[in-house]
Amino acid sequence: MQNSFLSNTVMSKVVQYLQTPAFRKNLIAAFVAIICLFLAVYVGLKIYTKHDESIAVPKIKGLHINAAIQALEDAGLEYQIDSVYQMDAKPGLVIEQDPEQGFHVKSGRTIYLTIITQVAPEVSFPNIKDKTLIEATAILKNHNLKIGDTSYVADIARDIVLDAQFAGQSIRNGRMIPKGSRIDLILGNGLGANEVEIPNLVGLPLNEAKFALTGAGLGLGTVTYDPNVTDTTTAVISAQSPGIEKGLTSLGAKIDVTLSLMAPTPTTGTPGTTTTPKPQGNPTPSNPPAAKPAAQGKTTTNNPPAKATNTTPPAGQKKENKSNSLGF
């Protein structure tokens, strides 16, 4: 009961205060202060944000970056530039703008621009040698490179990349070049040379001879082994047909070889074959000829027959020597 009495007393005093002139004055003052604060915030924000002021974004897309910057500065707008690279596009060209043309923005608003970079990024040149033209084209396209001129040279491999050139010079794998560069290709025409030089196979093992023939565009024909060959791994080529004396042969021709225990001794004769040295025209004998019979005259056996002795030869012999000295 006592608590109820206190509550009624407090409520009666509050009601009495609300009915006094002082409360009404305070209430009116608080209401006026709130309105003034609201108006001040509203007007301040309007001034700060320039609510009734706007600028139409000019057309920037398609302009060069220098012209785009000048247009934005004249409109009182800021800008921020990002760059990308595109092949076959003019460097410095604005390809994107945000906000778009005609969009109303406040003065000082930042306009975001995307331009084509003036310096192309570099890429590593891929390995396209010994690839077909179709494979090389796909590889170059994946690396943002282009095919320039294509030329053909005599080679048995048709449409195979034999060499790649950049700026007129052969380019090695892994070299950094600008993206979008043009690469000239040297391709094989599939015909090759009509004739090739015959390599000298004499003295080579069979495996090395096969490698030499493959490199020259030739093939291995019939292989003949000497009867004395017991281990083919140690045998070498002692003869070949056709030999190098022929000079040239048709591309893809077969070369027949003979394997022996050792290669023939090099001579001035035909390579790949052994040549027996011919005797001299007038060989000098190592031993003097036998002495003539005593009936023909006395001679000294210790001296060569070319030297005359003190013994006078018979008349017939003397006449013969005379004839020889006269040259008849």
Side-chain angles (χ1 to χ4, degrees):
M1 179 177 286
Q2 185 177 1
N3 293 334
S4 177
F5 176 76
L6 292 174
S7 299
N8 293 332
T9 302
V10 172
M11 290 296 298
S12 62
K13 290 181 178 182
V14 169
V15 172
Q16 290 177 3
Y17 175 74
L18 294 176
Q19 294 175 354
T20 59
F23 172 75
R24 289 194 294 270
K25 291 180 181 181
N26 292 335
L27 181 62
I28 294 173
F31 183 73
V32 171
I34 293 173
I35 293 177
C36 292
L37 179 62
F38 175 78
L39 292 175
V41 172
Y42 176 77
V43 174
L45 289 175
K46 188 175 181 180
I47 295 174
Y48 178 77
T49 59
K50 300 177 182 180
H51 180 69
D52 294 333
E53 299 179 9
S54 63
I55 301 174
V57 178
K59 181 181 179 181
I60 305 299
K61 186 176 180 180
L63 299 179
H64 191 272
I65 183 59
N66 295 332
I69 291 175
Q70 186 63 43
L72 293 176
E73 290 179 348
D74 294 341
L77 300 173
E78 301 293 334
Y79 58 88
Q80 184 173 339
I81 301 175
D82 189 14
S83 61
V84 296
Y85 179 78
Q86 290 184 0
M87 292 187 296
D88 300 329
K90 182 179 180 181
L93 185 69
V94 179
I95 58 174
E96 294 293 340
Q97 72 176 81
D98 185 27
E100 296 291 339
Q101 172 191 0
F103 194 85
H104 288 269
V105 296
K106 304 297 181 182
S107 177
R109 170 73 181 272
T110 299
I111 307 300
Y112 298 93
L113 307 178
T114 302
I115 67 171
I116 302 297
T117 181
Q118 298 186 12
V119 179
E122 293 186 336
V123 294
S124 176
F125 184 72
N127 181 15
I128 60 173
K129 290 185 179 180
D130 298 328
K131 305 288 186 182
T132 64
L133 178 59
I134 297 177
E135 292 174 335
T137 302
I139 294 173
L140 292 176
K141 184 177 181 181
N142 291 336
H143 286 75
N144 294 313
L145 298 173
K146 293 183 176 181
I147 293 182
D149 297 331
T150 56
S151 57
Y152 288 84
V153 296
D155 193 87
I156 59 176
R158 180 175 179 82
D159 288 335
I160 298 298
V161 179
L162 304 179
D163 190 21
Q165 296 182 349
F166 172 67
Q169 295 182 350
S170 296
I171 182 172
R172 67 181 186 275
N173 300 335
R175 176 183 170 183
M176 302 302 295
I177 59 175
K179 186 183 294 184
S181 300
R182 293 184 177 273
I183 306 299
D184 299 333
L185 301 180
I186 309 298
L187 306 172
N189 59 7
L191 300 178
N194 294 329
E195 292 183 329
V196 294
E197 185 177 357
I198 301 174
N200 187 7
L201 306 178
V202 175
L204 298 179
L206 185 59
N207 57 343
E208 294 184 13
K210 290 179 180 179
F211 182 79
L213 291 173
T214 302
L218 302 173
L220 181 64
T222 304
V223 179
T224 304
Y225 290 90
D226 189 272
N228 296 327
V229 174
T230 57
D231 187 0
T232 59
T233 59
T234 59
V236 295
I237 295 177
S238 59
Q240 68 179 77
S241 178
I244 60 174
E245 74 280 357
K246 184 178 178 181
L248 300 176
T249 187
S250 300
L251 183 68
K254 303 292 185 179
I255 305 297
D256 300 333
V257 297
T258 301
L259 276 80
S260 303
L261 292 178
M262 61 178 61
T265 304
T267 64
T268 58
T270 302
T273 60
T274 58
T275 303
T276 304
K278 295 181 179 180
Q280 300 294 331
N282 294 315
T284 302
S286 58
N287 298 320
K292 293 183 178 180
Q296 296 180 358
K298 297 180 180 180
T299 58
T300 303
T301 57
N302 294 332
N303 296 325
K307 294 182 180 181
T309 62
N310 294 330
T311 305
T312 303
Q317 181 68 24
K318 183 176 181 179
K319 184 177 180 180
E320 181 181 355
N321 292 337
K322 185 176 179 181
S323 299
N324 292 336
S325 63
L326 293 177
F328 294 101

